[in-house]
Amino acid sequence: MTYVVTENCIKCKYMDCVEVCPVDCFYEGENMLVIHPDECIDCGVCEPECPAEAIKPDTEPGLESWLQLNSKYASSWPNITQKKDAPPDAKAFDGVAGKLDEHFSPEPGEGD
């Protein structure tokens, strides 16, 4: 089992999860984070820290495509280990449906 970042992180990117991760397995995209599934130790401390409730265990049904997305972009985006400020419009995007098709960016973030 591993944890995956799902659609609600897109354009929210709160980063509370980054601070508590003991193995630094988060990677930063332009407008979301992902978890490297081969680095995640399944401790689960990140899940309750996410204000957008965007982190889920990969054992939940229907998350296969999110596991693939996390794996793909964790291999090319920079590692992030320190919390940064969320985007100014994060609250407006929290809970919005269809963010993957409408707002996802494959571009990397800045990392640490």
Side-chain angles (χ1 to χ4, degrees):
M1 183 180 93
T2 187
Y3 283 81
V4 296
V5 180
T6 61
E7 182 172 47
N8 208 40
C9 184
I10 299 170
K11 299 220 27 121
C12 288
K13 198 169 134 179
Y14 286 113
M15 297 196 203
D16 299 54
C17 53
V18 169
E19 283 193 321
V20 298
C21 181
V23 293
D24 300 333
C25 65
F26 282 90
Y27 291 80
E28 184 184 13
E30 180 179 30
N31 66 5
M32 80 173 289
L33 302 174
V34 293
I35 294 172
H36 195 303
D38 295 334
E39 296 174 3
C40 177
I41 60 170
D42 314 325
C43 66
V45 297
C46 59
E47 185 181 20
E49 295 299 317
C50 180
E53 298 180 1
I55 300 173
K56 306 287 181 193
D58 74 342
T59 53
E60 284 192 16
L63 295 181
E64 296 81 11
S65 64
W66 286 105
L67 179 58
Q68 290 175 355
L69 185 140
N70 277 244
S71 181
K72 176 181 178 179
Y73 289 103
S75 298
S76 60
W77 287 350
N79 189 242
I80 181 89
T81 62
Q82 297 176 2
K83 181 180 176 178
K84 299 177 187 175
D85 292 336
D89 58 353
K91 288 186 183 193
F93 281 96
D94 193 351
V96 172
K99 291 196 284 184
L100 179 62
D101 293 331
E102 294 286 324
H103 301 290
F104 174 75
S105 171
E107 296 301 314
E110 296 176 5
D112 284 338

